[in-house]
Amino acid sequence: MPNYQPPVRDTLFILYDVLGVERLANLPGFAEAGRDTAEAVLEEGARFCREALTPLNRVGDAEGCRRHEDGSVTTPAGFKDAFRLYAEGGWVGLSADPAHGGQGLPFFLGAAMNEFASAANMAWAMYPGLAQGAIAALSRHGSEMAKRDYLPRIVSGEWLATMNLTEPHCGTDLGLIRTKAAPAEDGSYRLCGQKIFISGGEHDLTDNIVHLVLARIEGAPAGVKGLSLFLVPKRLPDASGAPGAANGVSCGAIEEKMGIHGNATCVMNYDNAQGWLIGEANKGLNAMFTMMNEARLGVGIQGLAQSEVAYQNAADYARERRQGRALSAGRDGSAGPDPIIVHPDIRRTLMAIRAFNEAARALVLTAAINGDIAARSPDEKARQAAEDWLALVTPVIKGVLTDRGFENAVAAQQVYGGHGYIAEWGMEQFVRDARIAMIYEGANGIQALDLVGRKLPMKEGRAIKAYLDEVAAFLAEHAQDAQLAPLLAPLQEGLEHLQKATMWLAANGMANPDHAGAGATDYMHLFGLVALGHMWAKMAKAAAERLAGDGEAGPDENGQGEGREFYETKLALARYYMERAMPETGMRLKRIAAGAEAMMALPAEAF
């Protein structure tokens, strides 16, 4: 059975040595989250994921969810008990406002825990994961009734929540939504329609499920300008607030999927279901995007998580599996074959995955810290800068981390040879589970178009200008650092490629929108390469400073020694990334500058 060890030490290194979260101690909730507290939280979360969730991953994949004749759904064995422990531990509301029953700890701790849980058991983690988006949407846009009667129960884990957008005829183009909402005399609405692909739409983990549903009020304008968001519970609360009468909401079917079998992906039918408006009428996307942005960051974390767990198991296998003899150095002295870890091509695979994982983790935690600043800082300028950064980088995190996460799961599977294709090793499940992350919450092509078409010109380019200046300032600040020089030169070149690509799209994309569409995915990945390179430069700086200081890196993963190897490994991985990954920025720039002519040359009937 596959194993998983949550990377607590790597996470703490990024948070405190690289990103310096202590500087934000004045923000609400941060004073209670010093390094000792953060380490204790992460260690306990890691233990839960390792002991309670990892053993259920294959169980969930093999059993899946079962829908019964009455429309109820049973989750795989052990899922309900694990969620009960999770809710009792306060994990659902880890970063939620104490006014609603949460612990009020920084969002970065919730993001780290999300990675651990998604790597341990992605299908299970999706149930509480969706609650985070609902908590954010209701906290910001919910009525007093919603905040009083529903939000605390979601925060506590007593109830769970979903988001309902997609319909059989309507995916990304939300303007085509047909679900109707008719006003009732009591101020609520009655919803009729069908939604599909609803993760966690029905299950047995909680007694009630709160659905957040996009629908169109009768007489509303056509397109997205006529959409409203509604809170629709599975069961209507009684006078005491407990789940009472069944609402007109039912699960019509469970989708049969390639992966994430342990998560109930449902067809949801709304038959005169009672619901309440969230936010303003005809402005449902304003509220839904709060939830969607949370979800897109969460899906990017899923890409990282599957890449990490696949890497850990592939590395363990490579150290143990013996095949062939080392080409030069690395023979262990025995007469038989060497462990495959000695072969350069195996090391190429593992180094590439690990170099991505550690930089991706740093990027995710940077995003989470910006989320904390945007939500909690009293400084309007700081909040604005954080919001700009998140708006710009969120589609990159979602698109790049899930594209690469899937590629890395496949590459890790390859390390096993034929055994990687056999279910008992677990690698093929990682591949299947990772694949969905490239599709849902906006397929990655849509993320790329959002980045190029909306986020680059946003506010006259304010966000992209600030981002390019941020990376340039780091390079200028450390230009005289001889130790970092071999790492900064490739990052400098990558930044120049990103600047040129941005200027090319600005000059050509408006004149011919096909140019922007043709180059969007390459631009997203070019941006991702530079963003991850920037993270590696910052991690290398921190590692070098620790080695040059007292030399004590803290105990190793077994609690022994000073751990200098931990920091030396960071420098080796940074060098690998800069030498092997950053050169790809040149290829991406060439593709972007080639424009759309060849891509659009064939008539549709020629395909």
Side-chain angles (χ1 to χ4, degrees):
M1 183 177 73
N3 295 310
Y4 172 61
Q5 295 293 331
V8 172
R9 189 176 176 196
D10 285 314
T11 301
L12 291 169
F13 165 69
I14 292 168
L15 289 173
Y16 292 94
D17 292 323
V18 179
L19 302 180
V21 295
E22 299 99 327
R23 63 189 165 85
L24 301 173
N26 64 317
L27 296 186
F30 275 64
E32 295 78 24
R35 182 164 188 150
D36 289 345
T37 299
E39 185 170 358
V41 169
L42 294 178
E43 288 286 3
E44 182 59 23
R47 185 196 63 79
F48 174 83
C49 293
R50 186 173 57 248
E51 296 178 4
L53 298 187
T54 299
L56 296 177
N57 198 33
R58 287 199 64 204
V59 173
D61 187 59
E63 289 188 12
C65 296
R66 290 179 294 138
R67 179 185 176 277
H68 306 286
E69 289 187 6
D70 62 357
S72 64
V73 170
T74 303
T75 54
F79 272 42
K80 186 174 182 177
D81 289 340
F83 181 75
R84 177 180 54 80
L85 292 173
Y86 187 82
E88 290 175 353
W91 294 106
V92 179
L94 185 68
S95 302
D97 191 334
H100 303 131
Q103 298 188 47
L105 292 173
F107 179 53
F108 67 72
L109 289 176
M113 184 61 182
N114 190 356
E115 182 200 337
F116 297 173
S118 295
N121 193 327
M122 179 171 160
W124 182 95
M126 290 171 65
Y127 292 106
L130 282 166
Q132 302 306 314
I135 290 169
L138 293 178
S139 296
R140 186 174 301 182
H141 304 285
S143 66
E144 289 306 311
M145 181 275 286
K147 292 177 181 178
R148 180 190 69 237
D149 297 343
Y150 290 89
L151 186 53
R153 288 179 167 87
I154 299 172
V155 169
S156 70
E158 181 182 352
W159 297 348
L160 280 172
T162 72
M163 56 190 296
N164 285 232
L165 287 77
T166 307
E167 299 184 2
H169 62 284
C170 164
T172 301
D173 191 351
L174 297 176
L176 300 176
I177 282 177
R178 295 174 184 163
T179 298
K180 298 294 184 183
E185 292 183 359
D186 62 1
S188 65
Y189 290 78
R190 298 298 185 270
L191 277 72
C192 294
Q194 186 179 77
K195 299 289 185 176
I196 64 171
F197 303 159
I198 307 307
S199 300
E202 174 62 26
H203 54 73
D204 60 352
L205 303 185
T206 56
D207 294 335
N208 207 359
I209 303 170
V210 181
H211 302 288
L212 272 61
V213 186
L214 273 183
R216 195 179 304 280
I217 298 173
E218 293 177 350
V224 296
K225 293 183 179 180
L227 295 178
S228 300
L229 185 64
F230 298 89
L231 183 158
V232 185
K234 171 185 171 180
R235 291 189 172 274
L236 298 167
D238 62 19
S240 68
N247 202 358
V249 183
S250 62
C251 170
I254 297 179
E255 305 287 1
E256 296 185 12
K257 311 184 297 294
M258 176 181 177
I260 54 170
H261 295 156
N263 193 270
T265 306
C266 300
V267 175
M268 299 301 297
N269 297 319
Y270 292 85
D271 184 12
N272 208 35
Q274 187 173 15
W276 289 266
L277 186 67
I278 298 174
E280 298 181 44
N282 304 330
K283 293 185 178 180
L285 285 186
N286 291 349
M288 181 56 83
F289 272 125
T290 299
M291 193 172 191
M292 290 174 65
N293 286 334
E294 290 268 347
R296 286 173 177 171
L297 177 58
V299 172
I301 291 172
Q302 289 178 343
L304 161 62
Q306 294 306 292
S307 181
E308 174 66 26
V309 69
Y311 164 81
Q312 287 190 19
N313 284 276
D316 287 345
Y317 183 84
R319 285 189 292 266
E320 296 171 1
R321 177 69 168 175
R322 291 179 174 270
Q323 292 279 287
R325 299 307 304 271
L327 298 178
S328 57
R331 296 190 180 189
D332 64 5
S334 67
D338 291 312
I340 62 174
I341 192 69
V342 304
H343 300 306
D345 195 61
I346 296 295
R347 288 180 172 240
R348 172 190 62 83
T349 299
L350 295 175
M351 287 283 281
I353 300 173
R354 183 167 174 181
F356 165 82
N357 290 350
E358 298 203 15
R361 182 172 300 114
L363 188 62
V364 162
L365 292 173
T366 301
I369 290 169
N370 273 300
D372 279 316
I373 295 170
R376 307 182 188 216
S377 177
D379 184 337
E380 182 179 355
K381 187 175 181 181
R383 291 199 310 271
Q384 182 184 85
E387 289 169 358
D388 284 354
W389 192 99
L390 284 168
L392 178 70
V393 182
T394 293
V396 177
I397 288 176
K398 196 284 182 182
V400 173
L401 268 59
T402 59
D403 275 355
R404 286 295 310 277
F406 174 72
E407 292 171 8
N408 288 345
V410 173
Q413 182 188 35
Q414 187 77 9
V415 170
Y416 283 70
H419 292 291
Y421 204 65
I422 305 303
E424 69 177 278
W425 291 92
M427 302 304 290
E428 56 86 34
Q429 182 189 346
F430 299 145
V431 171
R432 287 185 288 106
D433 286 353
R435 186 63 183 88
I436 184 57
M438 302 164 69
I439 299 172
Y440 59 16
E441 300 306 334
N444 286 354
I446 298 297
Q447 302 299 323
L449 289 173
D450 176 50
L451 174 65
V452 168
R454 296 177 59 192
K455 301 305 170 56
L456 292 188
M458 177 181 67
K459 299 173 183 174
E460 299 182 342
R462 186 175 74 193
I464 184 62
K465 290 175 184 174
Y467 186 84
L468 295 173
D469 288 346
E470 176 188 347
V471 181
F474 179 90
L475 288 165
E477 181 182 355
H478 302 287
Q480 305 305 314
D481 189 324
Q483 186 172 7
L484 290 182
L487 306 178
L488 298 187
L491 178 59
Q492 177 69 56
E493 184 178 36
L495 177 63
E496 291 170 1
H497 289 159
L498 181 59
Q499 291 168 328
K500 290 177 181 177
T502 304
M503 293 173 63
W504 192 93
L505 288 171
N508 296 277
M510 292 291 290
N512 182 356
D514 283 341
H515 286 320
T521 291
D522 280 302
Y523 184 87
M524 179 179 72
H525 279 278
L526 171 51
F527 195 126
L529 286 161
V530 173
L532 296 177
H534 184 208
M535 294 297 102
W536 265 123
K538 295 175 76 170
M539 286 191 285
K541 170 181 172 289
E545 287 176 348
R546 288 301 300 270
L547 287 169
D550 59 18
E552 292 190 4
D556 63 20
E557 61 185 11
N558 297 314
Q560 302 297 319
E562 295 180 349
R564 288 182 61 86
E565 183 181 348
F566 177 86
Y567 290 96
E568 292 165 350
T569 298
K570 301 301 179 199
L571 294 175
L573 288 166
R575 178 183 173 189
Y576 182 92
Y577 184 89
M578 294 303 182
E579 290 182 358
R580 292 281 182 153
M582 284 302 293
E584 188 182 323
T585 60
M587 176 196 74
R588 297 287 182 179
L589 175 61
K590 282 185 175 294
R591 286 180 174 176
I592 293 164
E597 184 176 350
M599 191 176 294
M600 305 303 292
L602 292 179
E605 57 270 18
F607 284 87

